[in-house]
Amino acid sequence: MLKLIKGMRLLAATHNPGKAREIEALLDGHYAVVTAGELNLPEPDETESTFVGNALLKARHAADRSGEVALADDSGLSVAALDGAPGIFSARWAGPDKDFAHAMRRVEERLDETGSDDRRAWFTSALAVAWPDGPAVVVEGRVDGTLTFPPRGDRGFGYDPIFVPDGHDRTFGEMDPALKDSISHRALAFGKLKAALME
């Protein structure tokens, strides 16, 4: 039976400090988290066509190179009026400098070009845990909401300042991090992962 034992070291396969902080918070301090960035592991090319595929690819890449159990997240924003874009390319829309102010402007410009007033969007998070040269487990979470412009709030990261989750009137960028961590796509995926793998 595959399990993640409390207190064990867990490699977070990310070079994104914001994502690493969220992962640590969601793990409730039960694991000794080290990141791929801290270990200077290279980032793999994300060649899959789905969040699940890319999460598995990243977790497997990190686990096999480090010899450690690795946890990877592949997540992004999908916009209904843009046929699901940016989707798996969410980080790439921010460019090499990870400029999400630029990425949010790009979303707004693309929406304006469509002429649609449909502002529905959703965040998806796929989480994969891989054992070195061994099995892997993957789960997915999704939170629906609407987009708002201009961006609001300086909490969170990525596209958080333009996303208002259903049932709320504040963006993820304005929310208390603890509230966001209780309702986000990543939180929903973590709930499934905890049920599957954690004590």
Side-chain angles (χ1 to χ4, degrees):
M1 185 89 166
L2 293 173
K3 283 289 175 195
L4 295 176
I5 312 302
K6 282 183 183 171
M8 70 179 281
R9 185 159 129 142
L10 192 57
L11 173 62
T14 183
H15 290 69
N16 177 329
K19 191 178 282 189
R21 277 193 301 276
E22 270 194 18
I23 288 171
E24 282 200 74
L26 287 161
L27 289 170
D28 299 329
H30 293 314
Y31 303 90
V33 178
V34 62
T35 69
E38 289 168 335
L39 297 184
N40 294 316
L41 292 177
E43 290 188 86
D45 290 327
E46 295 178 22
T47 52
E48 297 295 320
S49 60
T50 64
F51 293 113
V52 164
N54 280 323
L56 273 170
L57 180 151
K58 288 191 278 192
R60 172 79 52 229
H61 177 269
D64 292 348
R65 275 159 185 72
S66 67
E68 311 226 19
V69 179
L71 167 68
D73 162 281
D74 196 59
S75 53
L77 176 73
S78 299
V79 181
L82 302 181
D83 298 323
I88 60 168
F89 303 108
S90 292
R92 280 175 238 181
W93 276 36
D97 297 328
K98 301 282 191 277
D99 180 353
F100 279 95
H102 167 75
M104 288 185 280
R105 280 196 304 276
R106 198 168 160 192
V107 169
E108 186 176 17
E109 286 163 7
R110 288 296 253 321
L111 275 171
D112 288 345
E113 286 165 15
T114 69
S116 171
D117 57 5
D118 184 355
R119 293 293 180 263
R120 287 175 304 128
W122 59 95
F123 273 121
T124 304
S125 170
L127 291 174
V129 175
W131 278 257
D133 303 310
V137 172
V138 65
V139 295
E140 197 170 38
R142 168 175 161 161
V143 62
D144 288 86
T146 52
L147 298 182
T148 184
F149 300 98
R152 303 192 327 240
D154 55 8
R155 291 170 151 173
F157 62 97
Y159 296 91
D160 285 355
I162 60 171
F163 185 81
V164 180
D166 286 351
H168 295 267
D169 55 11
R170 285 178 295 166
T171 68
F172 271 170
E174 294 172 301
M175 273 185 190
D176 180 86
L179 176 57
K180 181 196 167 185
D181 286 348
S182 71
I183 62 170
S184 74
H185 48 304
R186 201 164 284 117
L188 295 169
F190 258 98
K192 294 179 183 177
L193 197 71
K194 284 176 180 175
L197 291 179
M198 299 179 186
E199 300 169 314

